[in-house]
Amino acid sequence: MRTYLTHIRSMVFALAILTVMAAMPVLAQQLGPDGAPNPTASVVPEQKLLQQSPRIEGRIDIPNERARVLLQPAGRQWDHFHEITLHWLGAIVIVGMIAALAAAYLVIGRLGISKGRSGRKVLRFSSFERFSHWLTAASFVVLGLTGLNITFGKIVLLPIIGPEAFSSMSEAAKYVHNYVSAAFVIGLVLIVALWIKDNLPQKVDIDWIKQGGGFIKTKHAPSGRFNAGEKLVFWFALGAGAAVIISGCLLIFPFYVTNIAGMQIAQVVHAVIAVLFIAVIIAHIYIGTLGMEGAFEAMATGEVDLNWAKEHHDLWLEEQLAKERLAARSGQSSAVPAE
């Protein structure tokens, strides 16, 4: 029995020595070069911690779940996007589009009516259609300008007008942006309801693309009421409009649907889609004004020249003329001969 206890004591003593030997490197790491204890030796480096879990958050002990997040490392990525990446993206996309359109104007010039004006007008858009278009267009311009102020205001306007004026202007722009968004929603819904049937893809759209979309003067590009290019703008406006509306609602009403991380994603989506949206609409405005003779009249007065319609929307013009002839025949057949 005594021999058995001796063996147990020997084993325990050996385990203790092994434990001390294993702990010696750790203890050595916790000491500084001068032999003093190093309080930060066991601290995990921040970058390593963020790589292991990018969404680690520091919280404070308050009842409000919305306000208790004190530190959110992923917010640094969002801040880098908003302050650096978005600036470059917006500048490249918007300035690049303007430069491309300027080059197109210098190379191609304005597309005129090849046969000249006929002097005969054809109704293209009703008053309500034009109201819906201008409601959407005007609200979009206001939203675009006030939104660009959020991205580029500190770079462009702040050095010019000073901090106090910029602060007051930005606060007003924020409220204008939020409230005018309602008009944009209404306008977008109206133009979708009015024109979605005329923007469905058709076989003639392929022919329009093959013939150069009207930009090759030696070729005629057939088209219905809207050509393939206008249809692409329509569907892009519908998709992009829905994206900025949904993401914008998440930002206007924070924490009702998502958390901070979700709102950061919503802001990124809102900003990127808005920048692309602005670039596309700049091209749309150019074609409807400087780029093509007679195009602006469609939304200004609702009427277009007959020769313009023949060149750009010949199939639609044939339908309109057929309706006019049918209406004229119906009027003649229903008339009572005078005695």
Side-chain angles (χ1 to χ4, degrees), residues 184-185 188-189 192 234-250 269-270 273 277:
F184 176 75
V185 174
L188 184 63
V189 170
V192 169
F234 173 86
W235 289 108
F236 176 83
L238 176 56
V244 295
I245 289 171
I246 294 173
S247 57
C249 287
L250 294 177
V269 171
H270 193 82
I273 298 298
F277 208 166

Side-chain angles (χ1 to χ4, degrees), residues 178-257:
N178 291 348
Y179 287 112
V180 172
S181 61
F184 176 75
V185 174
I186 295 172
L188 184 63
V189 170
L190 288 177
I191 64 174
V192 169
L194 289 170
W195 294 334
I196 190 169
K197 65 180 185 302
D198 297 318
N199 280 278
L200 298 176
Q202 295 177 333
K203 183 180 179 181
V204 68
D205 298 327
I206 300 176
D207 297 333
W208 184 87
I209 296 173
K210 289 181 178 179
Q211 299 302 322
F215 290 94
I216 302 177
K217 296 182 179 180
T218 58
K219 294 185 177 181
H220 174 71
S223 173
R225 190 180 190 193
F226 298 110
N227 58 46
E230 292 169 328
K231 289 180 180 180
L232 288 175
V233 173
F234 173 86
W235 289 108
F236 176 83
L238 176 56
V244 295
I245 289 171
I246 294 173
S247 57
C249 287
L250 294 177
L251 298 173
I252 293 177
F253 304 103
F255 296 106
Y256 282 91
V257 178

Side-chain angles (χ1 to χ4, degrees), residues 33-51:
D34 57 353
N38 183 4
T40 63
S42 60
V43 175
V44 180
E46 181 184 33
Q47 293 302 320
K48 182 178 180 181
L49 185 64
L50 295 180
Q51 290 174 0

Side-chain angles (χ1 to χ4, degrees), residues 11 32 44 77 79 102 116 127 145 151 154 161 172 220 224 239 263 291 321:
M11 292 176 64
V44 180
Q77 300 174 3
D79 184 69
S127 298
L145 293 175
T151 303
K154 289 189 294 185
I161 65 178
H220 174 71
M263 287 189 292
L321 295 178

Side-chain angles (χ1 to χ4, degrees), residues 156-191:
V156 179
L157 293 179
L158 180 58
I160 298 175
I161 65 178
E164 294 184 359
F166 177 73
S167 177
S168 300
M169 187 202 72
S170 297
E171 182 181 10
K174 173 184 176 296
Y175 286 109
V176 170
H177 191 89
N178 291 348
Y179 287 112
V180 172
S181 61
F184 176 75
V185 174
I186 295 172
L188 184 63
V189 170
L190 288 177
I191 64 174

